[in-house]
Amino acid sequence: MKPRRTRGLRFRLALATAAILLVSLAAVALLMSRVTRREFRRLEEERIVRGPLLPPPFDTSALESAFDAAHEWAGIEPVLSRLASAQGVNAVLVDVSGQVVALSRSMKAGSATRSGGVLRVSWSDESGGLREIRLLSPRGIALSSRLDGRPIGTLFVLPRLGVTRSAEEVAFVGSLDRWLIVAVGGAGLLALALLAAVSRRILGPVEELTRAAARLRAGRLGPRVSIRSEDEIGELGRAFNEMAEALETSEKLGRNLVSDVAHELRTPLTNIRCQLEAVTDGLSAADPSLIASLYEEALLLSGLVDDLQELAQAEAGTLRLRISSVCPRETCALALEAMRHGAEAAGVTVCNDVSDGLPQVHADPQRLAQVLRNLIANAIGHTSAGGTVRISGGVPDEQFIELAVRDTGEGIAPEHLPHVFERLYRADPSRSRESGGAGLGLAIVHRLVTLQGGGIRVESQLGHGATFSFTLPQAPRAPRAPEELQIPSSIRHTRS
């Protein structure tokens, strides 16, 4: 199966990142271009204001002729505006007394004053922006009469700032724009290369997870994904591996369960069938001993079915519990009394060391007694004649009490300890059901303890007996009436 969805994610991630990158770079480039152009013009204005204003070549003959014709500057503004517009500049005309007599029309709503060698000019340019400059040491074009050569005024020529672009500005801004285009293109290519590397690093494990999930769907549970990092992707891969491991274990347990149940049912059913065939063929008589043997086999079958049903209910969370305050010592004494006959038959001594002062537990009394009986029966079954099975109790903390069943039997090998609570598991496969049980008792004990909010553990050394310890919540201080609860399967409080 090809990871189409992952490739689509990579394409969308690359497309979205590229779009964001291009928009961001274009915005930065545009902003830089505008800011640079504005700052260039500002510096140009400051240069004009602070330095001497060198007048450009300007034909003043029309102005001088107009003055000679009228013997004054009145009505000179149209001539001045025509000349300034032809040159693409602003113009200010000052008479011999230092008074401003005319401004070119390009300086809308303008005014100019000259005082102490400083010419202050303010106007509204053609773009609508307000302009004002102070010429500290202005240098104008001296005007003189063409009739007698006497001075008649001074012409100050100013660049039309904000409207026309000087050659220096065009060259500078053009060079900057070219470098910005190169920088944006280089940054975009570098970012795309980094994006490809990052997406490969991020989405590579996702693609591997997709392929592993496809193998899992096809029923191949063996392969695992490799963990290359400790981030969220690594955690996802680790969780996937744990899920695959759990599925493989569950499938293996399911196969083993079917095989073990078939094996457990086959032996008593074979015995029943053979004995009935012998009676049918006249090889055996239906005497009381045969009927007792058939009854015993039927009891074995019934017990196995009951154990399987009870375990299934406990695992599904449909097992009903009647929770109340229970005295641990009394329950232990009743369980020991129920198992005393079997202990005496096996030559095993049973002892109750649970103190009367042990706090009460919050549990189902019948299920607690069942847990104790199963643990005691298991201990007796694995303890030789002359051995001892002992029940003790303690308070590990303020919330729980702990009960322990210890025996002096054969013990459990270390490799079997992790599996003793699994269904139909026997540390010694050679044991029959009569001597070793079907392997459901400890699994039922584990489920019952867990459903009641406790936890269970086992400690053992081969040849030195085993200790099964389980905890249960302490009962509330104030006594409460028994309540019937149906524990959902989602509740799993474990304490060991």
Side-chain angles (χ1 to χ4, degrees):
M1 174 182 174
K2 295 183 179 180
R4 297 179 180 175
R5 198 170 291 179
T6 305
R7 291 178 180 175
L9 177 61
R10 175 176 291 180
F11 175 76
R12 291 195 298 270
L13 178 62
L15 186 62
T17 306
I20 294 174
L21 179 66
L22 290 177
V23 171
S24 301
L25 291 177
V28 171
L30 181 61
L31 179 63
M32 286 293 297
S33 179
R34 289 184 176 274
V35 171
T36 303
R37 185 179 290 109
R38 186 186 66 184
E39 291 300 311
F40 185 89
R41 292 181 179 180
R42 184 181 64 81
L43 291 174
E44 190 177 45
E45 291 178 9
E46 290 184 357
R47 184 190 63 173
I48 293 173
V49 171
R50 296 181 181 278
L53 183 64
L54 298 177
F58 199 95
D59 185 7
T60 60
S61 59
L63 292 175
E64 293 169 340
S65 299
F67 180 85
D68 289 338
H71 302 289
E72 60 180 355
W73 289 116
I76 198 63
E77 183 176 341
V79 179
L80 179 63
S81 297
R82 184 177 66 253
L83 294 174
S85 177
Q87 295 285 338
V89 295
N90 291 324
V92 179
L93 182 61
V94 180
D95 62 14
V96 293
S97 64
Q99 297 296 319
V100 177
V101 295
L103 300 174
S104 60
R105 288 196 184 97
S106 58
M107 305 173 71
K108 299 177 181 179
S111 64
T113 57
R114 188 178 183 185
S115 175
V118 177
L119 179 64
R120 182 189 301 271
V121 183
S122 61
W123 74 96
S124 175
D125 60 23
E126 294 179 358
S127 63
L130 297 177
R131 299 285 181 178
E132 181 177 354
I133 61 174
R134 290 186 305 157
L135 304 180
L136 304 181
S137 55
R139 293 178 59 183
I141 301 173
L143 303 178
S144 58
S145 174
R146 289 183 174 271
L147 297 177
D148 51 16
R150 63 185 176 87
I152 57 176
T154 305
L155 178 66
F156 294 97
V157 180
L158 307 176
R160 296 174 69 178
L161 302 175
V163 178
T164 60
R165 299 176 63 185
S166 64
E168 293 84 356
E169 179 184 354
V170 171
F172 179 79
V173 175
S175 176
L176 177 66
D177 289 343
R178 287 191 295 272
W179 279 108
L180 283 175
I181 292 174
V182 173
V184 167
L189 292 177
L190 179 61
L192 290 177
L194 292 176
L195 173 63
V198 172
S199 65
R200 186 181 302 110
R201 179 175 178 83
I202 293 177
L203 298 180
V206 177
E207 292 176 350
E208 185 179 358
L209 278 171
T210 304
R211 292 190 293 269
R215 292 194 300 268
L216 196 67
R217 184 180 63 178
R220 299 195 300 271
L221 304 178
R224 302 288 185 266
V225 297
S226 56
I227 308 300
R228 302 187 182 93
S229 62
E230 297 298 328
D231 54 9
E232 291 81 358
I233 299 296
E235 289 295 327
L236 178 61
R238 191 173 292 107
F240 179 87
N241 287 341
E242 293 175 356
M243 179 191 68
E245 185 72 26
L247 288 176
E248 187 174 13
T249 302
S250 178
E251 184 177 3
K252 182 179 179 181
L253 289 176
R255 290 196 301 266
N256 293 340
L257 175 62
V258 173
S259 175
D260 291 340
V261 169
H263 175 73
E264 292 294 330
L265 293 175
R266 184 181 298 112
T267 301
L269 286 176
T270 300
N271 292 336
I272 293 174
R273 181 174 59 83
C274 291
Q275 295 183 33
L276 291 177
E277 286 179 353
V279 173
T280 302
D281 295 338
L283 301 177
S284 176
D287 53 15
S289 61
L290 177 62
I291 295 176
S293 176
L294 293 176
Y295 179 72
E296 183 178 355
E297 296 294 342
L299 287 179
L300 291 177
L301 287 174
S302 177
L304 176 60
V305 172
D306 291 342
D307 289 346
L308 287 172
Q309 183 180 12
E310 188 171 33
L311 181 59
Q313 290 177 346
E315 290 181 341
T318 59
L319 192 66
R320 294 185 178 273
L321 302 176
R322 292 183 56 84
I323 303 297
S324 62
S325 297
V326 182
C327 176
R329 178 173 174 77
E330 293 180 1
T331 305
C332 291
L334 293 174
L336 283 176
E337 186 63 28
M339 303 302 299
R340 191 172 300 277
H341 177 73
E344 291 176 353
V348 177
T349 303
V350 291
C351 303
N352 185 6
D353 294 339
V354 179
S355 171
D356 289 331
L358 200 65
Q360 293 189 335
V361 296
H362 196 56
D364 184 323
Q366 294 183 357
R367 298 302 179 183
L368 176 57
Q370 181 181 359
V371 168
L372 291 169
R373 289 195 302 270
N374 284 356
L375 291 178
I376 295 171
N378 181 75
I380 294 174
H382 292 82
T383 303
S384 302
T388 304
V389 174
R390 190 178 302 274
I391 303 179
S392 61
V395 183
D397 54 42
E398 296 180 353
Q399 297 181 351
F400 290 85
I401 66 102
E402 183 178 64
L403 297 176
V405 178
R406 297 180 175 88
D407 63 67
T408 58
E410 59 196 26
I412 305 173
E415 64 270 17
H416 296 302
L417 286 176
H419 307 287
V420 295
F421 296 111
E422 294 178 3
R423 295 171 297 185
L424 299 170
Y425 183 84
R426 292 198 189 100
D428 184 3
S430 63
R431 282 179 173 266
S432 64
R433 178 174 174 84
E434 291 79 5
S435 60
L440 294 174
L442 292 180
I444 293 175
V445 165
H446 180 270
R447 292 298 179 183
L448 291 179
V449 171
T450 303
L451 284 178
Q452 295 178 87
I456 186 169
R457 69 177 188 273
V458 58
E459 299 173 354
S460 179
Q461 290 185 354
L462 196 61
H464 296 279
T467 301
F468 287 83
S469 304
F470 65 94
T471 58
L472 289 174
Q474 293 187 24
R477 299 296 180 181
R480 297 192 304 179
E483 52 183 348
E484 184 172 326
L485 298 178
Q486 183 171 353
I487 308 298
S489 59
S490 58
I491 298 179
R492 293 291 185 270
H493 300 289
T494 302
R495 177 181 176 88
S496 59

